[in-house]
Amino acid sequence: MSANSKNLSLFLLLINFLFFSCCNSLLDEQGQALLAWKKSLNTNSDALPSWNVSNKTPCNWFGVKCNLQGEVEEISLKSLNLQGSSLPSNFQPLKSLKVLVLSSMNITGRIPKEFGDYQELVFIDLSENSLFGEIPEEICRLSKLQSLALHANSLEENIPFDIGNLSSLVNLTLFDNKLSGEIPKSIGLLTKLQVFRAGGNKNLNGELPSEIGNCTDLVVLGLAETSISGSIPSSIGMLKKLQTIAIYTTKLSGSIPEEIGNCSELQNLYLYENSISGSIPRQIGELGKLQSLLLWQNKIVGTIPEELGRCKDLSVIDLSENLLTGSIPISFGKLSNLQALQLSVNRLSGIIPPEISNCASLSQLEVDNNAISGEIPSVIGKLRSLTLFFAWKNKLTGKIPNSLSECENLQALDLSYNRLTGTIPKELFVLKNLTQLMLLSNDLEGFIPPDIGNCTSLRRLRLNRNRLVGIIPSEIANLKSLNFLDLNNNHLVGEIPSTISRCRNLEFIDLSHNKLSGNLDAVSNLQSLVSLNVSFNKFSGELPNTPFFRKLPLSDLTGNSISKAKDDTKLAMMIILFILLSTSAVLALFLIHVAIRAYIANNINNSWVMTLYNDHFFSADDDVVKNLKPSNVIDTGSSGVSYKVKTPKGQIIAVKKTLPSTDSEALMSEIDMLCSIKHKNITRLLGWGLNLLNNKDMMLQFYEYLPSLSSVLHGSEKGKLEWDTRYEIILGVAQALTYLHHDCVPSMLHADVKATNVLLGPGYHPYLTCFGLVKIASEKVDDAKSNPVQRPTYTSSSYGYIDPELDSMQKINEKTDVYSFGVVILEVLTGKHPLDPSLPEGVHLVQWVKSHLASKRDPFEILDSNLRGSTKPTTMHEILQTLAVSILCVNTKAHERPTMKDTLAMLNQFRYFV
């Protein structure tokens, strides 16, 4: 190569280097568009630190992927907190953008119409944000779009009429929004659609369009918890690839079309909680891959088709709460994979077919509330996986088969309200896992076997209304978990065994209408006891002198020869006189104290130094101290007095003034905690102040004034709250406590959960407040040497919410909050204060509810009047489930209560998969 050629090559290389260096130093149009969106984000922190101008291309930025030509093809961002930011409307320069994922980002606002300009988009996921407004029609211009995920937002209005223009669409998920209107008929044009889920949109109405049959690739159809009505169209039979139909808790009517038998790939058929009538089509027997058949709570008539026995993959059959007649098909014995068979509350007759014993995987067998007769088949013992067998309220005869003892996993057995005879087989009591044995209202005779002591997991034992004789076996003492014992209306004799005092968990005992004798000393030490009925026996002697027996209703003692414990009247009068004199002296001193403090308060208004976090309500110069008058007091707690104050700006705030005796170190600890706690369901501290003349012993805390849950439940709005509002309040408080217990480091205990400490903002949004008793659970570790936090000093306003275990252990832990939360749930459900004077004989709300439920009366009788009027099945289900959670929370034994994390999980589960 000549020298000139070499020089020319070097010159060209230099020019090329300078040119591209210059160009690459400038961020391209794509990067500028991305940075412009980042700049618009409403966040205090840099959520996307790698997105900056120091990079020559956005291709290496977090969440960004490019093709070989350096064109942005994918933006995938998940679970970042963008704090209410908006969606991008300026991505037109990203001409090759195919994938846009912005899920779980706390994004709000509307979906921009400009999304229709991103013509290359194949995949959009904007799920689990706070988007509102309508789905823009412009989005229907994206002819290449294959997946559109908009679920779990607050989108409104109709599904776009032109949704059928998305001819490439494979996945469409719109569930859990606020969509309304009908499903457009144009959905039938989506011939490639595989997943369509729009459940959880309560106002989505109209019929399922018959055009859905044109979506022949459809695999999942989910429209649960909507207002879809009418019949399932016969065109459903054209969907031969369909695997799941979930249209439960809607307004479906009419019959299930026979054509459903053509859906040869169908695995899950969920049509429960509707108004479906007609019979179960025999063609369902053609669905060889069917695994779950849930048709409960409808108006289905006719017999159960024998053809169902052909569905060899069936694992769950639930046909409960219908109008089915005829017998249980013998063909069910062919279902070797069947795990749950639920036929409760129908009009079935015939017998329990022995062939059912061939279902080796069966764990739940529920045939209660029918007209089934005959004997329980002796071969039932072959069901080794059986955990629950309910056959109560039928016409069963014969003896309880000994073979049930071979069902070693059995946990619950209820054969009540039948015509069973013979003795209770002692073999039953080898079942170590049995927790519930219900044999009441039969014609059983003989003794209660001493072997009952081997059944150590037993919690509920009901043998009442039989013809049992003999004594109560002393071996009952081995039932350490026993909670409910009902032996009424038998022929039992002898004394209550003294060993029963070992059953520390016993809460309910009914021994009425027997021939028992002796005294009641054996049950006097049962600390958990909340209900005892020994009426119509032969008991005698003196009633134990304990608080429980002093409050025991006379009706529970009728028909015996028991006298009340003696008391010393003179001593009682002296004690009363002493209390009156002491109270008068204390009251006089208190009035003097209040007068002195009022005088001081009026002269030291300028001695307060304020620290404000939000000056929207008032400024540090505003004199709010002068309004801290007795006439403005709204609550008195153990750590201070709260006032309602109007600021010079016209805002209403709540001011909490701590008492002079409050420890200053504890006060600052509370301030530090309140500043560190940030949760949507925990009250926001506006500021605080210290009194310099009191050496920091007096402190003010400022909050936005909001009405309390107690004032709403028991004030002018009493009884007006709808169920959804009450549920959201309960859920919000549960979220706040879960945050304190499980998300704070170190974890915190509120220690004073009550309705007055739950404030309600706009839309009844709940806030947990009053952290004067909060304890840092620094000593609360999983260690045998750990010490529970000392019990705080409560005021009278907290009584009724306090964990009963505190009476003995004087300590608190996270289960203390769980108990109080359970009481708050009951207060929300019943509308009654825990110590409501209208409760019979002055019982506590918890005791009243438990006694009501124990008597098997209608649970809805205890509910607030507004809730009793609800007839929607879903609402009734959620209320009963919430009631069940509250009973778990108010268990008298702290270690048996769920954690707040588990409690929240249970509350969240009531809203089904859609």
Side-chain angles (χ1 to χ4, degrees), residues 140-169:
C140 298
R141 301 204 302 252
L142 303 177
S143 59
K144 297 181 181 179
L145 194 64
Q146 297 178 15
S147 183
L148 178 60
L150 303 178
H151 57 270
N153 280 287
S154 296
L155 297 171
E156 303 162 329
E157 303 298 333
N158 299 346
I159 298 174
F161 178 79
D162 292 328
I163 196 77
N165 292 343
L166 299 175
S167 55
S168 300
L169 204 60

Side-chain angles (χ1 to χ4, degrees), residues 266-430:
L266 196 62
Q267 298 176 13
N268 304 298
L269 181 57
Y270 304 140
L271 299 176
Y272 57 86
E273 287 193 310
N274 282 293
S275 297
I276 295 173
S277 57
S279 59
I280 301 172
R282 300 186 179 279
Q283 288 79 2
I284 287 184
E286 304 298 323
L287 305 177
K289 296 183 179 181
L290 192 63
Q291 298 175 12
S292 300
L293 178 62
L294 305 184
L295 305 178
W296 56 274
Q297 199 168 317
N298 278 287
K299 300 176 182 178
I300 300 173
V301 298
T303 60
I304 303 173
E306 284 280 347
E307 287 81 357
L308 286 181
R310 300 176 188 170
C311 304
K312 299 297 178 64
D313 289 341
L314 265 174
S315 61
V316 179
I317 299 176
D318 193 342
L319 310 178
S320 305
E321 300 181 62
N322 278 289
L323 303 171
L324 295 168
T325 55
S327 57
I328 301 173
I330 295 175
S331 63
F332 279 3
K334 300 176 183 179
L335 303 176
S336 58
N337 294 316
L338 192 62
Q339 297 175 19
L341 177 60
Q342 296 159 303
L343 306 174
S344 306
V345 196
N346 277 287
R347 300 174 181 176
L348 299 173
S349 56
I351 64 171
I352 299 175
E355 290 80 4
I356 207 76
S357 63
N358 296 328
C359 303
S361 300
L362 195 64
S363 63
Q364 295 184 43
L365 177 57
E366 301 178 42
V367 296
D368 55 275
N369 285 272
N370 281 288
I372 297 171
S373 58
E375 299 186 1
I376 300 171
S378 59
V379 290
I380 198 167
K382 294 171 62 177
L383 299 176
R384 302 298 173 84
S385 299
L386 197 64
T387 61
L388 185 150
F389 179 27
F390 283 177
W392 57 283
K393 207 170 184 181
N394 278 290
K395 298 179 180 179
L396 294 172
T397 56
K399 297 182 178 181
I400 300 172
N402 296 346
S403 62
L404 275 171
S405 63
E406 298 171 22
C407 303
E408 55 189 23
N409 293 307
L410 195 62
Q411 297 176 18
L413 175 63
D414 195 339
L415 304 177
S416 307
Y417 301 101
N418 279 290
R419 302 170 185 173
L420 299 173
T421 57
T423 60
I424 301 173
K426 65 179 182 180
E427 290 82 2
L428 277 183
F429 301 111
V430 302

Side-chain angles (χ1 to χ4, degrees), residues 235-275:
S235 61
I236 202 84
M238 300 168 61
L239 307 179
K240 301 186 184 301
K241 297 180 182 180
L242 198 58
Q243 296 179 9
T244 296
I245 299 177
I247 316 179
Y248 58 82
T249 317
T250 67
K251 298 180 179 180
L252 280 180
S253 58
S255 58
I256 302 172
E258 295 180 354
E259 289 81 0
I260 203 167
N262 297 328
C263 302
S264 53
E265 297 295 315
L266 196 62
Q267 298 176 13
N268 304 298
L269 181 57
Y270 304 140
L271 299 176
Y272 57 86
E273 287 193 310
N274 282 293
S275 297

Side-chain angles (χ1 to χ4, degrees), residues 597-662:
R597 287 192 56 79
Y599 174 80
I600 294 174
N602 288 328
N603 290 278
I604 60 171
N605 289 338
N606 295 324
S607 63
W608 292 89
V609 175
M610 307 294 184
T611 301
L612 302 181
Y613 303 122
N614 189 324
D615 58 4
H616 171 69
F617 291 86
F618 62 103
S619 67
D621 297 328
D622 291 339
D623 192 358
V624 298
V625 180
K626 65 181 181 182
N627 290 317
L628 305 185
K629 305 173 182 178
S631 58
N632 290 335
V633 172
I634 55 175
D635 189 35
T636 301
S638 62
S639 59
V641 180
S642 295
Y643 300 83
K644 180 181 178 182
V645 174
K646 186 174 183 179
T647 70
K649 292 185 178 182
Q651 302 279 11
I652 303 296
I653 63 171
V655 181
K656 176 183 172 184
K657 183 172 70 173
T658 57
L659 298 176
S661 58
T662 307

